[in-house]
Amino acid sequence: MLTTESLKRIDREIAKYPVEQKQSAVMAALAIAQEEQGWLSSEAIEFVANYLGMAPIAAYEVASFYNMYNLKPVGKYKLTVCTNLPCMLSGGVDAGEYLKKKLGVGYNETTPDGRITLKEGECMGACGDAPVMLVNNHRMCSWMYPEQIDKLLAELE
Amino acid sequence: MLDIEIDGKQVQVPAGSTIMDAAQLIGVYIPHFCYHKKLSIAANCRMCLVQVEKAPKPLPACATPVTSGMKVFTHSELAINAQKGVMEFLLINHPLDCPICDQGGECQLQDLAVGYGGSASRYDEAKRVVFHKDIGPLVSMQEMSRCIHCTRCVRFGQEIAGVMELGMANRNMHSEIQTFVGRTVDSELSGNMIDLCPVGALTSRPFRYSARSWELSHRKSVSPHDSIGSNLTVQVKSNRVMRVLPRDNEEINECWISDKDRFSYEALNSGERLQKPMIRVDGSLREVEWNIALDYVSHALTDIARTHGGESIAALAAPSATLEELYLLQKLTRGLGSGSVDFRPRRRDFSSEGKLAGIPWLGLKLSEIKDLDAALVIGSFLRKDHPLFAQRLRQLAKQSGQVSLISVTGDDPLIRLHSRMTVSPADLTRALAAVVKAAARIKKVALPVGLESVEPCAVSQAIAESLLAGEKRAIFLGNVAEQSAQAAQLHALASLLATLTGARFGFIGEAANSVGGHVARALPTALNAYEMFAQPRQAYVLLGIEAELDCYNPHQAVAALQQAALVVMLTPFKHEAAPDYADVLLPLAPFTETSGSFVNTEGRIQSFNGVCRPLGDARPGWKVLRVLGNLLAIPGFDYTSSEQVRDEIVAPETVFVAGLDNGIGDLALSSDPASKGLQRIADVPIYFADPLVRRGAALQQTRDAAAPTARMCAATLVQAGLSDGSQVRVRQGQGEALLTAKADESVPAGCVRVAAAHVSTAALGDMFGPIDVERA
Amino acid sequence: MAILGALNPMLTVGLDGNNDRDWRLDAYVKRGGYSALKRILSKKMPQDQVINEVKKSVLRGRGGAGFPTGLKWSFMPRAFPGDKYVVCNSDEGEPGTFKDRDILLFNPHSVIEGMAIAAYAMGAARGYNYIHGEIWEVYTRFEEALDEAIAAGLLGKNILGSGFDFELFAHPGYGAYICGEETALLESIEGKKGQPRFKPPFPASFGLYGKPTTINNTETFGAVPFIMNIGGEAYLEAGLANNGGTKLFSVSGHVNRPGNYEIPLGTPFSTLLEMAGGMRGGRKLKGCIPGGSSSPVVPGATMMDCTMDYDSISKAGSMLGSGAVIVMDETTCMVKALERLSFFYYEESCGQCTPCREGTNWLYKIVHRIENGQGRPDDLDLLGSVTTNIMGRTICALGDAASMPVQSFVKHFRDEFAYHIEHKKCLVPPDVQRAGSGFFKATV
Ligand SMILES: Cc1cc2nc3c(=O)[nH]c(=O)nc-3n(C[C@H](O)[C@H](O)[C@H](O)COP(=O)(O)O)c2cc1C
Ligand code: SF4
Ligand code: FES
């Protein structure tokens, strides 16, 4: 189900917790599975659950609670724009609108070429850099004014 | 103890109590939804908010520990405002269509809304819609928009059923109770979630929309399905059982029942009910009037006794027959001059007979299980054989009790086990002997003769140690141990282990009257349940028995019945095989249509009344047997009520029967290594176990009711030249069955798990013992 | 980003936001790092003495509630036989707050050292730092810093030969604001949904895995080495009585230089505003949320008279909270601002308590319809009543956090809400609102 590389990373996470508390690694394990496969299929969630010795529905509870997990397939790049108030005051909402127009899709939609899924996000703890957006959960982009957005889009092939 | 005051009333409560506990002690009702006495505290519904002196905010009664001198106000303005506020929130997204809700009339939300709800809603946005789900044939999730997120069902799974099948997915107001991607809920205790659900979100699928709660009359009864004797409330409308619910009895079933207790009632209303006596005329069974049928039976029995001798007659009863039926059957059989009467059709080994000190029983009270420090269960499909007994052990293990298992398959009991051994049926004695030996060594006691060849392993050592630690320990023998060909050896070894360790020991018991049959003396003085078929008789009287499904060796039983001159069946059902061998079918009233008694595994006698009139011409067994006794002119059959029969068996007002004793006289111990060759492991699947569950329509659609397969571990499959999914012919002596082979690592090497009690395996022989498997 | 300015800095002393090596162990040690831990261990300083020093500093929790840290540490059972834990709360998700991210990016070892000292003082042998999911690069960097510390013998078994063991790990968040609430955070580390637990029992007696646990904010731990170095009293004196030390303020919104500023508690708001480059476009301050989105909004004029400390902000009817200062000028539509915040609390409610699950959604729907010209005359009273029914009736403070903005926005900007309802449009013209964000202007 997962590559040995991913399993190795998961094992490293498991080792952080007391032996009888493997379940503690579920968040990291789901993130790793998602990194590998782009999204969390129910097979992937069940695999992780079994790997950690927890009920599949318990792993699903986690996967559906935290909003950085993709329970449906997304584009090659998931672009999450923060529109929360501090960002909004400095252009977060405008940046979202700008992206919608450029990409021709709305929030929670994917460009027809399957490249980019646009998402609206909550505060990312980087309000001083507003407008901010995340690429595939792990790469944060700061001060995303039109010019920077254009540059980013050109880069995301 | 702490002194506190609730609504001006003084109450003394133990430290650690919550305000809710304290209020219940003095009968003050605090509204609540998520709180449940048997579940962990969630404090999420917020309905139980009360005012506490000096606390600035209202506090949840269910979760707030009392402190000395605390003053609680459950009806102050602050409290009422808080409760009303919560009620408004609960209702804004809840459909307000009680008249069309299945829960209407028995809904806690509806009840409380009357007291705490506003008259008009201030919320006029679109209401949340939650998609319905299909989680199997028993529990309906059709109306999930009604869910109030109390999470009782989720906690029930995690804490009581021992398996988390439901969870609350998502967050915020999109939180939703669901299974993992469309899975079914398969727990044998799942129906309790219906009772726990305070609203109409989880409902009974078979019952849904078949009646309104206020049309039902509530009658007390006792479950006939296992040895616990769960207390039931049976709900009846127009002489028809519509629903079965648990009746709280802390000492027995607490507030739970298993799904078979709850849903087997569908069989009572099934088209297979036998409603008129039938007699074989010219090869086929014809309906006749009672007087003709009984006349026929009494004449035929008299004839056979006269020509072939009384011993040519044998009688076999189901262990779930009532105490009164069992008693009258043995009395009748003996009156006919036969000592061949029994009530243990799935027993093989009777060599302890005559050596028993008394009536085998659990060895302690059910309510004492929670206080054990350690328990060992030998030979049991725990969860499926005894769902609520397993539940008690689950709670024990969750506290600090050490529960160990010696079993014939690696089925997951959903109990946190201290240790377990999984061995072939033939190795059960050796496994138990190893524990005995380990215990003897630890205690530095001389080793008993016969166990020389046994060597304790680490696990047997661990089990012995756990049985030697702590104050209260117990050893339990399960159904497999009683059905085993070495039942007496296992009994003797368990007894020895108990003596060595100071543990109590006993039998979990297969059925509702596994103890009661002894009390009723439905025990052979001539041929026992196995011998009466091994040595075919001229006449058989079967009470509640479907021989091809209920006997240790169905092949042999059916053959004996087929050659007999007379087979009389007292049965609630017509069934497929009966035309083959039955000469007379007498419609027997099931437990809901007769009065009677069950003696549960702890020796507690529970009498009950019929909850409705017998269907058609069915009649209570005790009445049928009484009339037969009269017709046969056997003295002492002049009963006018079942109570009179009972009073002849046990002293009036008896709660626990006398004579319970698991002692066993000297028995030579042997622990010969297991025999070679493939061995059969026959479980009795939970929904095949008795004639009622077999006909429970919804139960038959569950995963537990899947048709038997031939299950083997990979190694055994390879050895037999098979693979997962092969069609195979399994054979025992003359009998054979065509099945699908399944890989199953929980089956010990050298064994094939082939369930009993199912038509597809009814042609096979012994439940345990040699079996051949070959590609079909 | 980086820390843009500081007065009398402690946490940010010697940091240069543009230097990519400042966060490394050697740079930290050069700045005096780990000297506190080394001294404590080599002197075998009594645990009580460490806690007393923290008590004397009147360090108040920087995560939002402002609870005195030394007091919290003293709640940990001393003689408990089993495992104990210290947990750092870096799940910074409170809108407006972005200081912990910078601390971990530029000064991770201060947090590691602070946690080690805390663990020593409370007898814990294991710790976790729960890091907000969206700042993944911080998570990886923190793990690198941990590796450095382990390699230097500053973490792990028998630290610096003292016999004291402390193992520290990073735990990733993955997108749930509620996990900033300390008990939700513990549930999350246990591999569950982040649903807060009812208290009591408090984490000090029943925390992670049911064991005694102390949770502090990143900045709180980060301040500890400095307190131990300069002494509790000196730290206290850096701030005000009852408001010890310096604090990082995250300034966002309509200012010229949004960013983090470390200032002594008690510094005038106007000074902070000046440090942040003043109001964008020289416009007027309309309102300010001084302590993260959950704290009540303060009208501009009142705010200008405040000093940045717990007491002054409290007197102004709000809370210092996490020190996130959201600045709004007159281009801001207060209804739209509240609508966005209400959406946030509805979205982030964990969903377990009835009043929060249902109420936050209801609040959002009401504010949403006002913003969209469908408000009704009694909506403002309804908002008041719904918030009253939520506040103080939930397991955790998210219910309150969702209600306080609603109450304060309606209270201070009632006319603007009424205008929306009556005229079905905003007092602030749309193009003025747009201009305020500076988004398009930035390109020209
Ligand atoms: C809804 C909610 C969100 C919170 N988010 C955070 C957070 O992101 N970071 C944080 O340190 N504390 C947060 N807190 C406060 C924590 O519960 C806790 O009080 C704090 O971490 C304790 O650390 P301190 O004493 O050092 O402030 C939050 C509280 C609530 C109720
Ligand atoms: S107040 Fe909201 S977020 Fe907090 S526990 Fe309750 S439902 Fe969850
Ligand atoms: S019963 Fe107390 S909160 Fe639900």
Side-chain angles (χ1 to χ4, degrees), chain C residues 178 195-196 348-354 356-357 394-399:
Chain C
I178 192 59
Q195 292 194 329
E348 297 293 338
S349 162
C350 87
Q352 62 173 334
C353 311
T354 305
C356 173
R357 177 185 64 244
T394 51
I395 289 179
C396 85
L398 189 136

Side-chain angles (χ1 to χ4, degrees), chain C residues 11-250:
Chain C
L11 204 46
T12 62
V13 70
L15 284 184
D16 167 4
N18 296 318
N19 184 338
D20 215 22
R21 290 206 44 88
D22 269 2
W23 67 273
R24 295 256 170 216
L25 177 64
D26 49 4
Y28 180 66
V29 170
K30 225 176 270 162
R31 295 197 298 274
Y34 286 111
S35 53
L37 178 66
K38 286 177 186 157
R39 198 171 50 254
I40 291 168
L41 292 183
S42 66
K43 281 201 195 148
K44 300 212 182 313
M45 192 184 280
Q47 294 176 320
D48 277 337
Q49 197 182 329
V50 179
I51 295 179
N52 271 336
E53 215 53 53
V54 177
K55 277 189 180 162
K56 271 192 264 168
S57 75
V58 195
L59 170 65
R60 294 173 57 167
R62 306 300 197 215
F67 193 83
T69 304
L71 188 59
K72 189 191 267 190
W73 290 11
S74 66
F75 293 153
M76 281 286 267
R78 209 54 62 80
F80 185 82
D83 297 334
K84 288 189 261 186
Y85 295 97
V86 290
V87 172
C88 176
N89 188 343
S90 301
D91 190 43
E92 193 171 53
E94 172 90 356
T97 318
F98 48 92
K99 63 190 177 65
D100 298 341
R101 172 183 179 230
D102 277 358
I103 294 171
L104 293 175
L105 264 184
F106 297 105
N107 214 4
H109 285 286
S110 68
V111 179
I112 297 174
E113 185 182 2
M115 287 188 77
I117 293 171
Y120 174 85
M122 292 179 277
R126 229 173 217 272
Y128 293 96
N129 186 10
Y130 189 103
I131 300 177
H132 196 219
E134 283 87 344
I135 49 172
W136 197 257
E137 75 272 29
V138 171
Y139 177 73
T140 39
R141 178 172 294 185
F142 188 74
E143 291 215 312
E144 266 189 77
L146 287 178
D147 289 342
E148 286 185 328
I150 292 165
L154 295 160
L155 279 180
K157 299 267 177 228
N158 191 19
I159 295 176
L160 302 172
S162 65
F164 165 61
D165 301 339
F166 181 58
E167 292 186 287
L168 179 56
F169 305 95
H171 182 102
Y174 226 60
Y177 163 65
I178 192 59
C179 290
E181 197 282 336
E182 55 189 13
T183 56
L185 184 149
L186 295 178
E187 289 281 299
S188 187
I189 297 184
E190 291 181 7
K192 304 177 201 152
K193 292 180 290 183
Q195 292 194 329
R197 301 174 182 168
F198 180 78
K199 294 182 274 192
F202 291 91
S205 55
F206 189 93
L208 185 60
Y209 308 126
K211 301 291 196 285
T213 302
T214 289
I215 306 162
N216 279 116
N217 173 255
T218 320
E219 188 183 353
T220 313
F221 280 123
V224 168
F226 299 90
I227 292 169
M228 297 314 295
N229 278 336
I230 63 172
E233 268 142 39
Y235 184 84
L236 172 62
E237 278 160 19
L240 288 181
N242 193 34
N243 292 271
T246 63
K247 162 127 194 54
L248 272 173
F249 287 92
S250 305

Side-chain angles (χ1 to χ4, degrees), chain B residues 548-569:
Chain B
E548 64 286 354
L549 304 176
D550 292 331
C551 293
Y552 185 80
N553 184 329
H555 184 266
Q556 169 178 287
V558 170
L561 292 171
Q562 275 167 339
Q563 63 75 47
L566 177 71
V567 175
V568 181
M569 292 181 62

Side-chain angles (χ1 to χ4, degrees), chain B residues 176-221:
Chain B
E176 239 181 84
I177 302 293
Q178 63 174 71
T179 55
F180 184 68
V181 288
R183 299 259 156 103
T184 50
V185 164
D186 300 326
S187 161
E188 64 284 350
L189 297 174
S190 70
N192 293 297
M193 296 178 189
I194 301 166
D195 302 339
L196 288 173
C197 180
V199 295
L202 303 184
T203 52
S204 159
R205 208 159 159 181
F207 173 73
R208 256 172 87 71
Y209 293 120
S210 62
R212 303 300 280 174
S213 66
W214 54 87
E215 304 170 320
L216 301 169
S217 45
H218 298 204
R219 314 244 156 96
K220 294 178 179 178
S221 192

